[in-house]
Amino acid sequence: MMKIPIDLSIKSPSSMWNIYLSIVNVTHQLGVCVRMDSVVKPLLENDVDVFESSVRLLVDQGKASVDSVLSRSDDFIDICKMMKKAKEDGKTIHITGMGRSGKSGMLTGELLKNIGFHVSYIGKTLARPIREGDIAIAFSGSGWTRETCADIDYAIKKGATIIGITADLRSKIGRISDVVLRLPGKTDIPEGSRYVTKQMEQIIKTPLAPMGTTFELCVILFGAGLIGGLYSTSDYIEGFKTISTKMLSDLDWTLSDLLSYQNNRAQLIDVIHLFENAIMNRHPSYWIGSGLTDIVAGMHAMRFQHLKSDVELTYDWRFREKNHLLVLISGSGETPSILHYANDAREIGMNVLGITAYMPSSLSKMCTHTLVVHGRDSRESAYNKRINGSAELFLPAFEYSTANVLDGIVAQLAFNLGVSEHEMEYEHA
């Protein structure tokens, strides 16, 4: 029998993970299975410190994005005026962006549709032709994404007005746009933040979680604030501030509830373990939402793919099996299509995680695990409201809070599973 001497006096969870992973590597080479030592496991299984510090960082960056827009209030007012005129003239708003930036831009586009704008997504199947007088909005954290820049070059040739949303005003998008607003990106993380301090101490080794998604989450917040400005009958800035403040308040509320109440904290820990088990056992996870929540599901399917998770969307639903994981996102917990998937998954013995604003709800009753995220003011399905022609201004506070919570879970999982920044970059398409 081979004996491996291990010093279990180390109290740092990350050090314990390094020890555990070293044992796994050695025993894997020997063809032997290994279980986590009972002394190591208790130090790890109830730790959500990385989750907390990550989401608090994202909250701070969200607040910084609001300040950034307000510091260029004249540009924001110009954007609102240009877009209102385009709407009055029957012009189209064209959205472009790649990856998660494109997804967050698409969420903004769907919000614009809700208040009567004609919106098209460049490069998509039903994209409309760009014509003179239209507006093209580019979402790119770096401001240098090749495909996004190419789309904007083409839009300029067609006579469109360009609005750039980027983290770098000196980038190509920043320089060629008619009006540009800067939102925080991963280079804006303050050196004194808890997250970066932990990085320097080598406690957290994955800057892509959450730094790689800072810009995209700020875009969601900006998009909601933009709708607030456009919806306002008198004061664009006050409309922006009202909506963005509401969104951040709901995120603060969610974080407080998840961490302050024992039952909620336990549910969060169970969800983290659920993802850990799926990743370690190589069980596929299916990510499904409806409308805006489907965009959030797609954004975070990408994030979990960075963790080497086998991730699927609705078109692979036919491959589902017992013990696979289904993640369903529904603010009301009553969306008909979501309940259909939950029932189907339950019948074949899948693990089902429901993320909703309400407990109990029809969704929570059908799931093996539930995570409550605030941000919905009504139990009526937003999907049902839309098809019933509701004129109520829709706020994506639930979607924004869910996106931040999921990114915090990604950060915690990356830490728990010992996934390095290099490995996450390798998985990034």
Side-chain angles (χ1 to χ4, degrees), residues 225-245:
L226 175 63
I227 299 308
L230 291 168
Y231 197 75
S232 173
T233 57
S234 57
D235 192 331
Y236 298 123
I237 296 299
E238 191 59 35
F240 172 83
K241 288 168 64 176
T242 298
I243 298 305
S244 55
T245 299

Side-chain angles (χ1 to χ4, degrees), residues 61-62 64-66 68 166-167 182-186 188 214-216 218:
Q61 292 301 293
S65 72
V66 173
S68 180
T166 181
R182 182 184 181 280
L183 300 181
K186 61 185 176 181
D188 291 277
T214 300
F215 175 77
E216 291 81 4
C218 289

Side-chain angles (χ1 to χ4, degrees), residues 75 78 82 136 156 160-164 173-180:
D75 290 331
D78 286 344
M82 283 190 291
I156 290 172
T161 299
I162 310 301
I163 298 173
I173 294 297
R175 288 185 286 106
I176 67 175
S177 298
D178 294 294
V179 185
V180 61

